[in-house]
Amino acid sequence: MVRDKSARGMAFPILNGLFLTLFCLSILYLMWYVVIISLNDGADSLRGGIYLWPREFTLRNYQSVLGDASLIRAFGVTVLRTLVGTVSSVFFTSMVAYAMSKRHLFGRKLYLLIGTGTMIFSGGLIPYFLLLRSLKLLDTFWVYIIPALFSFYNCIIFMSFFRTIPAALEESANIDGASDWRIFLTIIIPLSKPVLATIALFSGVGHWNDYFSGVVFVNNPDLVPIQTVLYRIVTSASMGKMAVAVPGVAAKMTSSIAIKFATMAVATLPIILVYPFLQKYFVKGVMIGAVKG
Amino acid sequence: MVQANPAVSTGSKRSWQSRLYAQRYLQAMAIPGVLFMLLFNYAPMYGIIIAFKQFKVTRTIAASPWVGLTHFQEFLGSEDFLNLLTNTLGMSVMYLTIAFPMAIVFAVLVNEIRSPRFKRAVQTVSYLPHFLSWAILGGILISFMGESGLINEVLVKLGVLKAPVIFLGEAHMFWWISVFSEMWKETGWSAIIYLAAIAGIDQELYEAATVDGVNRWGKIIHITIPSIQGTIVIMLILAISGMLNANFDQILILKNPLNALRSEVFDTYVYRMGIGTGRFSYATAAGLFKSIVSMVLLLLANRGSRALTGDSLF
């Protein structure tokens, strides 16, 4: 390609690079700011003027967060629901998707129609709430897991991946007398690591970040995930109510931005840690989902 | 419930019963998913009828008396209604006109980067906020924009502001804060789909244009945008059909009594009325009204785009 070397031609790449760099810096700086405030003495932070580096370095904020039983418990709920919820939903959705990807499946058209309907119509929040109530799921740990077991959107992504697996692989197993269930477990799953990783990422991040189910479907403070605790702290502080319905360190957080930021940093760290490893998978997942969905 | 369909017979001599038996494992794998959808996605649709009843938690849905359109009349006649409609549509229109095109512009700009390493870095960083919870980003935003937050500190120091402003306490600023913070969070992620579409464009088109002396801007307008028009239209239809969903996760965090006049949207209202104050029937009526308008918007957008561009979702 012939490159334009004139001043006009150079202006665009420079401005473009500058704009994109500034945009990325705004993201990185926001996260960095959380880190430096969480590592700075809480009382000192209130004086302002901290921009790039902690002024009075301390680990006390993290000690408070990690030493608080109710926060640790909330972290535990989040970790547990993310692990159980992700594994169960990836397994369940891929199993259903494998069967539905078979063109000779009786009733397949009806099944897919039912699935498509879920993407267009919804009962809305209140009927959903009443359903969970009549299923006795409210105020249980399972309210995080069971309603999230299956998503037709993810099912579509799985189906389009399964169709790319050469039929010959399954046929040879079929001749050996393996059932569809065995084929799914021993041939399909090992071949589907990229798509399993993609859906696990979407599902895992969804579980990790969800605060709403904890707010609406759960009252028991022992069953509330960390994001819901953060939601309560953040909104009660912004409303000017200093008394929070969460005990211990959490109550102090409304006044101490440092402890609040330390909690946020701890809650974000796992996402940042897994993110680079899964990045190569999710771009593909988005594309399949958007094209077929 | 499974209706075997003999019409799909493809000339096999085996009876449909024996073929159904042969796929018993597949059916056992598929049917739990169908049952799940019937229970969690379709059963709540039955619950919608409480919008036409006087439902109380102490009664069953079936035992609640019918009240016709009372709840809809009350909702449409209430002072809240116009306010909700204004806020929901206002923020949605702002989002559609500012943030939606921004994702396309962002994809084009990223595509113009020549260095593969820089391109990868920009993509990695710009996708990141999508994976952060609004409970966290909202908390950071509230701290940033608070009275002693970073933004006030800097603006006062620079002399732009005389005294700190609690930005989230100013109702008239709420739409801007909501739309721009959402755009900041999602632009990189939304651009993925356009970047993928751009990557599929035949490079010879650009080479031919270079030979003809077409400049960068001309290539973007005459090659890139027309080539990804189909993707843009699909994304636009989806965005329009989701207009009334606003941005629930975010607004629920940023909303407070001071900005409520400009931050209350359909979804937060349904939540507040239904779960908050226990007016289940009334809240369901408000939610149903929203769903119906959303579906009409989807159909209109779909028809409009088919008429104008020939591309449509269905």
Side-chain angles (χ1 to χ4, degrees):
Chain A
M1 229 194 247
V2 185
R3 295 283 292 275
D4 193 347
K5 294 273 192 238
S6 69
R8 260 182 69 102
M10 286 306 289
F12 177 81
I14 292 171
L15 285 176
N16 187 25
L18 200 66
F19 169 76
L20 292 173
T21 306
L22 283 177
F23 177 70
C24 289
L25 281 181
S26 77
I27 292 168
L28 294 174
Y29 180 70
L30 194 91
M31 311 195 74
W32 180 241
Y33 189 76
V34 174
V35 172
I36 56 176
I37 297 296
S38 68
L39 286 172
N40 197 65
D41 180 70
D44 178 62
S45 297
L46 290 176
R47 298 200 343 251
I50 301 169
Y51 303 115
L52 286 175
W53 214 247
R55 192 165 47 207
E56 283 187 30
F57 182 86
T58 175
L59 287 173
R60 216 176 310 131
N61 301 316
Y62 285 94
Q63 282 166 351
S64 313
V65 170
L66 298 175
D68 183 89
S70 66
L71 285 182
I72 291 298
R73 201 176 160 88
F75 272 117
V77 171
T78 297
V79 170
L80 196 64
R81 73 170 281 190
T82 303
L83 290 178
V84 176
T86 305
V87 170
S88 61
S89 124
V90 166
F91 184 76
F92 187 77
T93 306
S94 64
M95 175 190 83
V96 175
Y98 176 66
M100 286 197 185
S101 72
K102 295 289 164 213
R103 293 196 193 283
H104 63 275
L105 184 78
F106 283 122
R108 179 170 180 266
K109 275 196 178 151
L110 176 69
Y111 300 167
L112 293 181
L113 193 69
I114 290 172
T116 312
T118 67
M119 298 174 84
I120 301 174
F121 314 103
S122 119
L125 176 66
I126 306 300
Y128 190 65
F129 176 84
L130 295 175
L131 173 78
L132 296 182
R133 198 179 66 119
S134 58
L135 292 175
K136 304 266 181 287
L137 280 173
L138 294 187
D139 241 352
T140 66
F141 176 74
W142 299 105
V143 78
Y144 302 125
I145 309 297
I146 294 173
L149 265 182
F150 183 80
S151 127
F152 191 67
Y153 180 82
N154 291 345
C155 182
I156 290 175
I157 299 181
F158 273 123
M159 284 195 294
S160 39
F161 183 88
F162 291 149
R163 273 190 224 111
T164 65
I165 297 177
L169 290 170
E170 294 166 64
E171 277 157 17
S172 61
N174 240 331
I175 294 163
D176 293 341
S179 69
D180 290 311
W181 174 244
R182 275 199 69 82
I183 293 175
F184 171 67
L185 286 182
T186 57
I187 297 177
I188 301 299
I189 293 238
L191 283 173
S192 307
K193 278 183 199 127
V195 72
L196 290 170
T198 305
I199 304 296
L201 173 77
F202 290 162
S203 165
V205 170
H207 273 290
W208 189 272
N209 283 344
D210 168 50
Y211 72 86
F212 189 68
S213 7
V215 173
V216 183
F217 305 133
V218 174
N219 280 322
N220 182 350
D222 287 346
L223 281 177
V224 163
I226 189 68
Q227 306 284 358
T228 303
V229 174
L230 278 169
Y231 164 80
R232 296 219 164 112
I233 291 161
V234 160
T235 47
S236 61
S238 78
M239 285 178 202
K241 279 186 266 165
M242 291 312 256
V244 193
V246 261
V249 170
K252 270 188 256 162
M253 266 192 252
T254 48
S255 49
S256 171
I257 177 182
I259 296 181
K260 190 155 76 186
F261 277 17
T263 313
M264 289 175 178
V266 177
T268 310
L269 191 69
I271 299 232
I272 307 277
L273 288 181
V274 297
Y275 175 76
F277 298 102
L278 292 165
Q279 198 197 346
K280 61 177 174 179
Y281 295 125
F282 64 65
V283 174
K284 238 179 204 146
V286 172
M287 276 152 55
I288 301 171
V291 172
K292 307 277 173 177
Chain B
M1 194 214 64
V2 187
Q3 283 305 310
N5 182 0
V8 286
S9 155
T10 48
S12 157
K13 286 201 183 96
R14 288 192 298 158
S15 71
W16 65 266
Q17 285 97 334
S18 77
R19 280 187 297 131
L20 186 60
Y21 181 74
Q23 57 173 250
R24 63 193 181 284
Y25 283 102
L26 283 181
Q27 291 290 351
M29 290 159 84
I31 288 170
V34 177
L35 292 178
F36 179 98
M37 291 189 282
L38 292 178
L39 182 59
F40 285 99
N41 299 101
Y42 286 88
M45 291 183 203
Y46 164 74
I48 289 175
I49 64 167
I50 68 167
F52 305 94
K53 291 185 160 211
Q54 192 60 52
F55 173 76
K56 290 213 175 72
V57 278
T58 48
R59 286 196 281 251
T60 64
I61 293 178
S64 305
W66 292 95
V67 294
L69 296 174
T70 315
H71 298 300
F72 291 90
Q73 281 163 349
E74 191 196 337
F75 175 59
L76 297 177
S78 72
E79 282 175 27
D80 298 329
F81 173 70
L82 258 184
N83 212 24
L84 292 177
L85 195 67
T86 313
N87 292 337
T88 312
L89 284 180
M91 280 187 263
S92 298
V93 169
M94 268 177 81
Y95 195 78
L96 274 182
T97 50
I98 302 173
F100 184 85
M102 188 59 202
I104 302 167
V105 171
F106 188 81
V108 171
L109 292 182
V110 169
N111 188 56
E112 291 290 329
I113 300 174
R114 290 282 159 259
S115 149
R117 282 182 65 184
F118 181 50
K119 193 171 181 172
R120 220 184 127 68
V122 168
Q123 285 176 284
T124 303
V125 175
S126 64
Y127 301 158
L128 191 57
H130 170 80
F131 292 98
L132 303 180
S133 155
W134 265 118
I136 288 177
L137 271 183
I140 297 175
L141 220 55
I142 290 169
S143 300
F144 260 54
M145 295 192 296
E147 202 169 1
S148 55
L150 187 69
I151 295 183
N152 270 313
E153 199 184 314
V154 171
L155 290 182
V156 169
K157 216 166 246 179
L158 292 176
V160 181
L161 290 178
K162 284 215 172 65
V165 175
I166 305 174
F167 295 98
L168 277 166
E170 306 285 330
H172 68 273
M173 288 184 186
F174 188 85
W175 291 7
W176 294 97
I177 295 171
S178 166
V179 169
F180 272 84
S181 60
E182 171 73 5
M183 181 165 92
W184 178 85
K185 184 175 189 285
E186 298 297 333
T187 291
W189 182 254
S190 319
I192 293 184
I193 182 85
Y194 301 115
L195 275 168
I198 291 174
I201 301 174
D202 187 354
Q203 286 303 311
E204 281 180 25
L205 289 173
Y206 291 105
E207 282 155 27
T210 309
V211 173
D212 290 344
V214 179
N215 64 14
R216 191 191 312 268
W217 177 244
K219 286 178 201 162
I220 290 171
I221 290 299
H222 298 294
I223 301 174
T224 311
I225 300 293
S227 304
I228 62 170
Q229 183 192 303
T231 310
I232 295 176
V233 167
I234 302 273
M235 298 316 280
L236 188 61
I237 296 172
L238 289 174
I240 289 175
S241 71
M243 267 175 82
L244 296 193
N245 290 329
N247 195 358
F248 187 55
D249 266 11
Q250 179 215 40
I251 293 174
L252 199 62
I253 290 264
L254 300 183
K255 188 164 99 62
N256 64 42
L258 291 173
N259 63 32
L261 191 67
R262 284 285 150 260
S263 60
E264 188 90 272
V265 292
F266 281 109
D267 286 340
T268 56
Y269 187 73
V270 169
Y271 168 66
R272 191 163 63 86
M273 284 293 157
I275 312 288
T277 60
R279 299 187 61 197
F280 291 108
S281 284
Y282 179 73
T284 307
L288 181 58
F289 175 83
K290 189 207 82 170
S291 304
I292 291 169
V293 178
S294 289
M295 265 179 65
V296 172
L297 281 176
L298 173 64
L299 295 176
L300 285 178
N302 195 56
R303 180 170 293 191
S305 99
R306 195 163 41 197
L308 289 173
T309 66
D311 289 312
S312 65
L313 198 57
F314 46 81

